[in-house]
Amino acid sequence: MSRKQKFSDGELWEIASNHKEAFTSVGGWNRYAKENGLPHSQTFIQRFGAWNTIKEKLNLDTNNQHRPVKYQINELNSIIREHKEALTNINSWNQYAQRHNLPSYDVFERHLGAEQIEEITQYKTHLTQDDLKKIILSYFPESPPTVSDWKALSETKRVPSFSTIIRKFGSWKEMKRKVFYINRL
């Protein structure tokens, strides 16, 4: 059983028009509405759509802070090509992207796909234990690195992060066991 609507769409729109100076933010409206016995912001949003849509219909400036930046595929290709050296791991990319006002890794993956990112940057996101084993042995062929050794290496070389290694093997100790002590070719 649904609740009876207190206001018709026409009445709500009249309230919005008569009080449009108070249509600033959702929080600002809710304070104003409570003080003046007017409908909550959710009532307007449920009937008329997003808050910024309502503000646009009232010919008010909209707040763009919550609207995601939309990128074209060719823009994303250009950005990733220009900044590919910064993609050493997803976390470091996201930090770099934030500092340089660039899209997060997720945006690239959603629009380009991991395969295209790998083709452009040579950064492989979906590493297997075998992939990691080859990388680790290429830098440390004789004995296992410590986490500190690996962190130091990652500051100068494009290698997977130590957290990726731990995630794939379960622990640093398990990586050492599997890479250096069992079934070593």
Side-chain angles (χ1 to χ4, degrees):
M1 176 176 246
S2 65
R3 292 176 22 199
K4 183 180 176 210
Q5 292 183 343
K6 207 172 182 180
F7 301 96
S8 70
D9 286 357
E11 289 170 324
L12 275 177
W13 197 249
E14 188 176 333
I15 291 168
S17 298
N18 291 338
H19 299 273
K20 70 182 189 178
E21 73 283 350
F23 266 78
T24 53
S25 65
V26 168
W29 171 261
N30 287 338
R31 283 187 295 280
Y32 178 84
K34 188 174 184 178
E35 292 167 4
N36 294 283
L38 298 172
H40 193 272
S41 62
Q42 275 307 113
T43 304
F44 290 96
I45 292 168
Q46 287 169 348
R47 301 273 192 88
F48 303 119
W51 193 251
N52 276 342
T53 303
I54 299 165
K55 288 177 71 171
E56 287 169 359
K57 289 178 182 174
L58 290 168
N59 295 318
L60 298 171
D61 289 335
T62 59
N63 179 356
N64 291 323
Q65 76 184 38
H66 297 296
R67 290 191 176 180
V69 175
K70 297 200 174 157
Y71 293 93
Q72 302 296 322
I73 300 292
N74 60 347
E75 282 181 282
L76 291 171
N77 268 312
S78 283
I79 292 167
I80 199 71
R81 287 179 196 286
E82 183 180 338
H83 299 273
K84 67 183 177 184
E85 297 304 316
L87 182 56
T88 56
N89 64 61
I90 293 170
N91 189 39
S92 66
W93 170 263
N94 287 339
Q95 290 172 6
Y96 175 86
Q98 190 172 25
R99 285 193 310 273
H100 294 88
N101 200 24
L102 297 171
S104 69
Y105 182 84
D106 290 343
V107 172
F108 289 101
E109 189 170 46
R110 186 170 49 252
H111 295 288
L112 301 178
E115 296 79 21
Q116 189 171 355
I117 294 168
E118 183 179 340
E119 184 180 308
I120 294 168
T121 66
Q122 306 307 307
Y123 173 73
K124 190 171 181 180
T125 57
H126 303 291
L127 296 168
T128 65
Q129 283 188 2
D130 284 340
D131 295 330
L132 290 170
K133 180 178 181 176
K134 289 174 189 167
I135 294 167
I136 294 165
L137 288 171
S138 72
Y139 290 101
F140 295 90
E142 299 302 318
S143 61
T146 64
V147 171
S148 297
D149 292 337
W150 195 261
K151 283 182 178 178
L153 177 69
S154 68
E155 290 174 8
T156 59
K157 301 287 184 190
R158 288 183 58 163
V159 295
S161 68
F162 76 94
S163 60
T164 297
I165 294 169
I166 291 171
R167 191 172 53 255
K168 288 291 182 177
F169 285 97
S171 69
W172 197 259
K173 183 178 179 180
E174 186 63 12
M175 174 279 292
K176 293 192 303 187
R177 190 178 77 75
K178 286 185 176 178
V179 173
F180 291 92
Y181 303 123
I182 61 170
N183 298 327
R184 183 130 188 237
L185 300 175

